[in-house]
Amino acid sequence: RSVAWMTPAPRSVAWMSAPEPKSVAWMKSVAWMKRLAPGILALAAPGVAFAAGAMPTAGAAAVANHGSGGAAYIVQARSTNASMKWLKSAGVHGAVALPVVHGAVAHLTSAQLTAARGAGLAATPDSSMRLDGSVTSTCNGAALPAGSHPSVAFLGVTGATQVFARGDIGQGVTVAVLDTGIDSLPDFQGRIIDGVDLTGGGYPTLDAYGHGTFVAGLIASDGQSSHGQYLGEAPGARLVSIKVAGADGSTSETTVIAGIQWAIAHRTIDKIRVLNISLGAPPSTPSYADPLDQAVEQAWEAGIVVVTSAGNSGPYNGSITSPGDDPLAITVGALDDGGGTNPANFSIPSFSSVGPTMYDAGFKPDIIAPGRSVISLKAPGSTIAQQNPQACIGSSNFVGSGTSF
């Protein structure tokens, strides 16, 4: 098992084998000074201002149209302006700024990549990312394998029922869900207050894949479709839909970073307190050099609590995915509650990723929560709903498993 976790498929073999860029030392010193600086934990931290000027910044479909030829890379210098200036001087066309990580995304030829790293710029492949959830083969709880029965104890296990009894149902708090979109279902009662579709479709409240609606239901469903049977953790909370993936559930690191950037920019107007990111990719660098982790830290410094999934690559050590490997993210692993609230029946599903983190040797996940056969909302007509009719629970809900949940 120890050998397996040391040799996962990296996001970038070229990055791991190339000489360390001059800018890495600078990024390391800045990142760790920020982590050690006293007092920055306060949620009232000032927002991050990005002076992008007239540069094309990532948004809508822009992240999918950053030039052509070669492969897509996130290029970083000491500032976004410096990154864009160098790319222009190197003859790179169609670069899109990513101010949140002081960089830009662009297609680079092999020669341009070598030149960028030789000039001291960091260049990280724009990797594909996966969602950390799946459906469970069941229909209304019938014919499930042992240990995979639908759980109806979610709120009792997490302690939400005790919080509800005090009159706190999450009112006044806005949670941004960076995912596949959130269907505007009755269970959210008009509480989806804002959103953006970074896939270029223009419909943040249309979830063609089904993952984002399921996650949002666990967060804030008021149970209307199930007559109050399946509530979310905060049924009074507001939601913001940051859509980064379409009907096939695929996305890229650049699109996710653009989504985090959007959340920071809208933190004040939408009163975003929490950002949920239920996806990940195997890390290929320490967290200080990972653009996705850097974006997460910018959100944290802007006063947003970032909650991420641990990953579904367990049970091997070092299997925590990025951005869950970042010290400032609250990383959540999965718990099998056995269908009840008795801790004697709890166990950790083998799929749940575990630490220490691969490059930083950090203790992760930070917490665990029910993630085996939990019940939430179905996005009607979505990919997941159509491909897994056996996972239905009534007409409006289905069962899912994973650290996403």
Side-chain angles (χ1 to χ4, degrees):
R1 292 168 63 172
S2 61
V3 172
W5 78 259
M6 288 192 293
T7 56
R11 288 192 289 188
S12 166
V13 175
W15 168 267
M16 295 174 65
S17 60
E20 183 179 78
K22 298 173 186 175
S23 59
V24 168
W26 165 76
M27 289 191 293
K28 179 187 292 187
S29 63
V30 172
W32 283 104
M33 281 192 295
K34 289 177 179 176
R35 291 176 190 171
L36 295 174
I40 60 174
L41 184 59
L43 289 180
V48 178
F50 301 116
M55 293 182 297
T57 54
V63 291
N65 299 301
H66 40 71
S68 60
Y73 286 86
I74 301 168
V75 179
Q76 297 170 279
R78 289 179 178 268
S79 69
T80 304
N81 281 321
S83 301
M84 295 291 283
K85 183 177 180 180
W86 187 92
L87 289 167
K88 183 178 180 180
S89 70
V92 177
H93 302 288
V96 176
L98 288 170
V100 72
V101 293
H102 308 296
V105 57
H107 277 82
L108 303 181
T109 64
S110 178
Q112 289 168 337
L113 175 61
T114 300
R117 289 176 173 163
L121 280 71
T124 308
D126 183 16
S127 308
S128 61
M129 302 198 73
R130 64 174 182 267
L131 301 163
D132 288 323
S134 63
V135 296
T136 302
S137 296
T138 179
C139 184
N140 295 320
L144 277 167
S148 297
H149 43 288
S151 173
V152 294
F154 192 96
L155 301 179
V157 173
T158 62
T161 51
Q162 295 174 317
V163 177
F164 293 170
R166 298 197 296 265
D168 187 350
I169 58 173
Q171 60 271 39
V173 175
T174 301
V175 180
V177 181
L178 192 153
D179 215 289
T180 60
I182 305 173
D183 268 9
S184 185
L185 300 176
D187 301 70
F188 302 126
Q189 291 190 332
R191 288 178 288 117
I192 305 176
I193 63 168
D194 201 356
V196 64
D197 186 350
L198 294 174
T199 69
Y203 300 101
T205 54
L206 173 62
D207 183 5
Y209 187 69
H211 187 273
T213 300
F214 193 95
V215 170
L218 290 172
I219 294 171
S221 171
D222 69 0
Q224 186 170 145
S225 66
S226 62
H227 304 290
Q229 187 173 5
Y230 306 123
L231 295 172
E233 287 285 301
R238 298 184 297 265
L239 294 169
V240 169
S241 174
I242 303 177
K243 184 174 178 178
V244 297
D248 64 355
S250 66
T251 189
S252 67
E253 183 169 346
T254 296
T255 307
V256 173
I257 291 172
I260 297 172
Q261 184 170 277
W262 189 94
I264 295 171
H266 290 77
R267 177 186 69 89
T268 301
I269 190 172
D270 290 332
K271 297 181 173 60
I272 297 172
R273 295 284 303 279
V274 181
L275 173 62
N276 187 89
I277 305 175
S278 290
L279 48 77
S284 62
T285 68
S287 58
Y288 69 80
D290 186 328
L292 183 54
D293 286 343
Q294 293 166 14
V296 162
E297 296 199 4
Q298 290 286 356
W300 182 86
E301 291 189 11
I304 300 174
V305 176
V306 181
V307 182
T308 70
S309 50
N312 296 340
S313 302
Y316 306 113
N317 294 339
S319 54
I320 300 291
T321 56
S322 170
D325 62 342
D326 192 89
L328 301 188
I330 298 176
T331 306
V332 186
L335 168 74
D336 183 349
D337 59 31
T341 58
N342 184 354
N345 297 324
F346 293 173
S347 61
I348 304 299
S350 60
F351 63 76
S352 188
S353 292
V354 298
T357 58
M358 186 178 297
Y359 289 96
D360 300 331
F363 289 101
K364 291 282 183 174
D366 299 295
I367 60 174
I368 54 175
R372 164 78 81 178
S373 300
V374 293
I375 302 171
S376 188
L377 293 170
K378 177 176 67 177
S382 64
T383 300
I384 291 178
Q386 291 181 346
Q387 292 181 352
N388 301 274
Q390 76 283 359
C392 65
I393 297 288
S395 60
S396 302
N397 299 85
F398 68 93
V399 183
S401 296
T403 57
S404 281
F405 313 138

